Amino acid sequence: MGRNNSKRPWMLNMLIVVTIFVVLLVFTAHYKNWIRTEMDTIEILSGIYYKELPYSEIDSVVMVEKIPKMERINGFSAMEREKGIFKDSIHQTEVLVYVDRLSQPKIRVVYQDSLKLFLNLTDSTKTQQMFQFLHGKIKLEQE
C-alpha cells in the first residue's frame, strides 16, 4: 500500500555520521596545541595552523602575562583559546597566536628579527618547561 516513511534513507544517515566525524576531528585538532621538538626545529600544530620554526631563526624568548591588542586576520577566539594569524596594530606585522589559556602566562617568541609568535599550553607547568627549553636552545645557538 504505502511506503514506510519511518525509515531514513541511508544517504541521510551516512551524511550525519560523516558530519559528526568531521566535527569531532576539527574539535580534536583545535583542542590544544600539538608541539613536536626536533634537533633543529620546533613544530607547532593547532588545527589548521602550522608553524615549523628553526631554533637558529629565534631571536628572543620571553614570558609575558598578556598579549597586546591586535586585529584578527584569520583565526578564532573561544572561551580562553585564541588561535590564528593576527596583525600587530603598531608595527603592522603578522603575529601568530597559539594560546590555549588567555589567563595564563604566554611565551613570546621573536624570530627573523621582527616576526612574533605567542604560545602557551593548557598546563602552565608545561608552558614553563617549554619556555626553559626554548631559552636553552637559543643560548646554544648564540654561542
Side-chain angles (χ1 to χ4, degrees):
M1 227 157 142
R3 290 174 50 187
N4 186 356
N5 289 334
S6 65
K7 291 185 178 179
R8 290 186 181 157
W10 69 272
M11 192 67 151
L12 181 60
N13 288 339
M14 186 61 116
L15 180 64
I16 291 170
V17 169
V18 169
T19 301
I20 290 171
F21 178 74
V22 169
V23 167
L24 289 174
L25 184 65
V26 168
F27 175 76
T28 302
H30 285 288
Y31 175 68
K32 69 176 199 164
N33 293 325
W34 306 89
I35 298 175
R36 183 169 56 193
T37 55
E38 299 291 336
M39 284 294 280
D40 56 348
T41 62
I42 181 170
E43 297 174 4
I44 305 166
L45 174 66
S46 186
I48 62 170
Y49 303 103
Y50 173 79
K51 179 66 179 172
E52 183 175 343
L53 184 60
Y55 301 124
S56 60
E57 292 182 7
I58 297 176
D59 299 316
S60 69
V61 178
V62 179
M63 289 292 280
V64 296
E65 286 299 317
K66 293 184 177 181
I67 58 175
K69 291 192 183 227
M70 297 181 283
E71 176 185 345
R72 182 177 31 235
I73 296 173
N74 186 351
F76 73 95
S77 300
M79 292 184 276
E80 282 214 280
R81 295 189 192 326
E82 192 136 326
K83 313 227 177 168
I85 302 169
F86 291 71
K87 184 192 274 186
D88 185 343
S89 58
I90 297 170
H91 301 101
Q92 299 298 312
T93 58
E94 284 188 357
V95 178
L96 301 175
V97 177
Y98 303 102
V99 174
D100 279 342
R101 300 235 179 208
L102 282 170
S103 61
Q104 295 180 0
K106 294 134 220 45
I107 303 170
R108 185 185 74 197
V109 178
V110 177
Y111 62 100
Q112 294 178 346
D113 293 328
S114 63
L115 299 175
K116 292 180 189 155
L117 179 145
F118 288 92
L119 164 74
N120 80 355
L121 304 167
T122 307
D123 183 358
S124 62
T125 306
K126 289 184 179 180
T127 301
Q128 187 65 36
Q129 290 171 346
M130 180 58 62
F131 170 74
Q132 296 295 335
F133 175 80
L134 290 173
H135 196 266
K137 280 292 189 181
I138 66 166
K139 275 190 168 183
L140 287 175
E141 292 290 329
Q142 291 173 349
E143 291 177 355

